[in-house]
Amino acid sequence: MVSGLEELQRNLVKLQLNNKKAAKRAVNRVSELVSDNLRSNTPYDANASDNLRDDIKTTGITGSAKGEISKDIGFGKKTGWRFHFPEFGTTKQAPQGFAQRTINQSQSEALAIYEEELRKGNQL
């Protein structure tokens, strides 16, 4: 039971801070999961010198000031320009859809991670 306004404010601040920490932990865990799944699903050519699989990049946490904590996962500048060829196909190559497969594969586990971290974060 909260006895005064100051204690209520302290509890609200504590809850907000815990949720930000929980959200950051969840985003970090999910970004590792998606990055690993993308690495395993990305086509690989042993004869090529630059492979998409070897150039997967993850940004740092962004948007925490606005309350929208996120990370971007994708391919670097060196190889990222050609990502759309194997993903969507060309006139001479069938689409492989590895990025969409990664999203579908990671979705349920990512939601479970978010739920677990938020439950931990809501405990005072």
Side-chain angles (χ1 to χ4, degrees), residues 20-36:
K20 279 187 180 180
K21 289 178 185 177
K24 286 180 182 180
R25 279 193 313 266
V27 167
N28 284 331
R29 286 180 58 194
V30 169
S31 68
E32 289 175 16
L33 167 76
V34 173
S35 180
D36 291 343

Side-chain angles (χ1 to χ4, degrees), residues 41-94:
N41 289 337
T42 301
Y44 182 78
D45 182 8
N47 298 326
S49 60
D50 295 331
N51 281 292
L52 286 171
R53 181 187 291 183
D54 300 330
D55 198 26
I56 294 174
K57 306 288 184 198
T58 304
T59 65
I61 290 182
T62 59
S64 59
K66 294 185 275 182
E68 299 172 2
I69 298 170
S70 66
K71 280 188 169 188
D72 292 330
I73 302 167
F75 301 99
K77 291 181 181 180
K78 187 175 182 182
T79 60
W81 63 271
R82 64 178 192 233
F83 151 78
H84 64 279
F85 296 122
E87 175 67 16
F88 301 112
T90 65
T91 58
K92 297 181 182 186
Q93 176 181 341

